[in-house]
Amino acid sequence: MTAQAVQQSDLAVVIGLEVHVQLETDTKIFCGCSTDVADAEPNTHTCPVCLGLPGALPVLNRAAVESAVRVGKAIDADIPEETTFHRKNYFYPDLPKGFQITQYDAPVCQNGELEIEVEGERRTVGVRRAHLEEDPGSLQHKGGNIDTADYTLVNYNRAGVPLMEIVTEPDFRGAEEVRAFLAKLEEVLEYLGVFDSQRDGSLRIDANLSVVEADEIGDDGDVSDEALESANRTEVKNISSHKGAEKALSYEAQRQKNAVQRGREVEQETRHWDESRGITVSMRSKEEEKDYRYFREADLPPLQVSDWKRELDIPELPDARRERFGEEYGLSDEAASKLTSTRQVADFYEDVASEYDPDLAATWVADNLLGELNYRDMEVTDVADRLGEFKRLVELVAAEEITTKNAEETVLREMLDEGDDPETIIEREGLGKADEGEIEGAVTAAIEENPDAVEDYHAGEGGALNFLVGQVMQRTGGSADPGSVNQLLRERLDE
Ligand code: ADP
Ligand code: MG
Ligand code: ZN
């Protein structure tokens, strides 16, 4: 079949990812400089090592390796007996040494996998390798973009922040799968405590994309190695968000399909995702491995890591926890998913569920707390130090010291809006539950003042009782429980 004869509908997309993840460590990967650089003045978190001054020697950060091994355990990767570091040589102003220390033929994680779910279907994405490396510095183009700027500033605060590059097999068949993978990956990394998605630039994605004829793809989604190798692919750089990935890949897939359909060959090249214009643009012909002149980093000895895998623990991961929440607490899939979305939410739920009814805890954490936070564009991390207050609110509800309605509609909302604790709000708004005497008095008054309604009640009119309940509720400022008011009224009216 000639290229011209190929219809767009006969083409399928193949995608593989190289995901760069910043690991959360206190110090950089080869020196003692702090990684806490978000608000730092440019070039203040630097030293001879991360500036690449002659004679400075790298010292490997144990915490970075531990994080990498934990990631390896979570994705079920092989951790080799020995892992080594290499120099990847290239010149760019953000790389003061003229090479990046990375890993090459013995990366710390090999042959892992991660399961994703798209539209109810589960698929396993292979992770070819995941290796440690150092982040380069960052460039700031002034007065334009990379092509048009008047000048460019360089900041080496980021140089040497530990990165893990996670390279997948070309197992994705569409942008939705990529999005599901990235979400899952972030979730797992956050559970492991090695990653912070809120940190600017903590996840950066290069995506490789090619189009093949649809009948090259088997029922199980597999593509033959020959088809993969013969397909010309582009590598799209500079993707920094899940949404960006989906947009960039949809664009690039269409661009390649159009080219093939017009009988043109797709150039094997590196392209740049231009977020503001929503297009990918050609950067350069794709560099090859031999361009980098990889050789062993002689300043770092080989590292024996196989034992670390046994010695290091990882927490229960989101999928397992979700399943257990369903079984142990009888939660729906939806509730279990919400409650395991982050480790902090899951821990908080279990803390509350261990003391109060698991269903009550689920309603309070999944629906009320997460719902109100979401409405305010907030995350649980924003109220991390106030979880004790939320737990006290659940306790007040469980002990029937306050009505559910008042707790949800007044106390919780004011806690978030005003920052006060539940007791202060209850006191200020007079929301403590009315005592029995107060309720009895309100019931008597409601009966005495509404003879018509009492008559209607005795005549069998259902609405009359609701009206009387409403009267009592009003008198007690909503601090009585409607169910018991209802009962009390009926008892008195039926006397
Ligand atoms: P390179 O060394 O050129 O970067 P690799 O073989 O290491 O190439 O693969 C890099 C990425 O390209 C991997 O994520 C892999 O899944 C992906 N990839 C390989 N072949 C294809 C293809 N035909 N289409 C899309 N992605 C591919
Ligand atoms: Mg590559
Ligand atoms: Zn340093």
Side-chain angles (χ1 to χ4, degrees), residues 21 47 58 66 143 182 184-185 204 258 279 282 298 306 331-332 335 359 391 402 408 434 458 471:
V21 171
C47 74
E66 286 178 347
L182 294 173
K184 185 64 171 290
L185 180 66
R204 304 191 296 270
N258 290 345
I279 60 172
S282 177
S306 55
L331 300 178
S332 68
D359 278 334
K391 197 172 158 190
I402 174 174
E408 279 175 16
H458 289 302
Q471 293 296 305

Side-chain angles (χ1 to χ4, degrees), residues 183-204:
K184 185 64 171 290
L185 180 66
E186 277 200 2
E187 196 179 72
V188 169
L189 293 171
E190 290 202 296
Y191 261 68
L192 293 174
V194 302
F195 173 72
D196 177 8
S197 65
Q198 305 294 316
R199 197 194 263 248
D200 224 19
S202 57
L203 189 86
R204 304 191 296 270

Side-chain angles (χ1 to χ4, degrees), residues 212-229:
V212 298
E213 286 173 32
D215 56 15
E216 296 281 1
I217 299 194
D219 290 341
D220 50 4
D222 277 354
V223 192
S224 70
D225 289 344
E226 301 82 68
L228 287 177
E229 261 154 47

Side-chain angles (χ1 to χ4, degrees), residues 408-469:
E408 279 175 16
E409 291 176 10
T410 308
V411 183
L412 177 60
R413 291 180 189 170
E414 289 196 10
M415 281 173 74
L416 294 171
D417 293 336
E418 325 270 337
D420 294 326
D421 63 27
E423 293 82 1
T424 306
I425 297 164
I426 290 169
E427 170 90 32
R428 186 175 62 218
E429 308 282 338
L431 297 177
K433 254 201 180 169
D435 63 29
E436 252 166 74
E438 197 182 331
I439 297 174
E440 301 244 350
V443 166
T444 306
I447 290 174
E448 278 172 4
E449 286 168 24
N450 297 284
D452 290 353
V454 174
E455 205 171 302
D456 288 348
Y457 172 79
H458 289 302
E461 225 173 274
L465 185 63
N466 285 341
F467 170 78
L468 290 168
V469 171

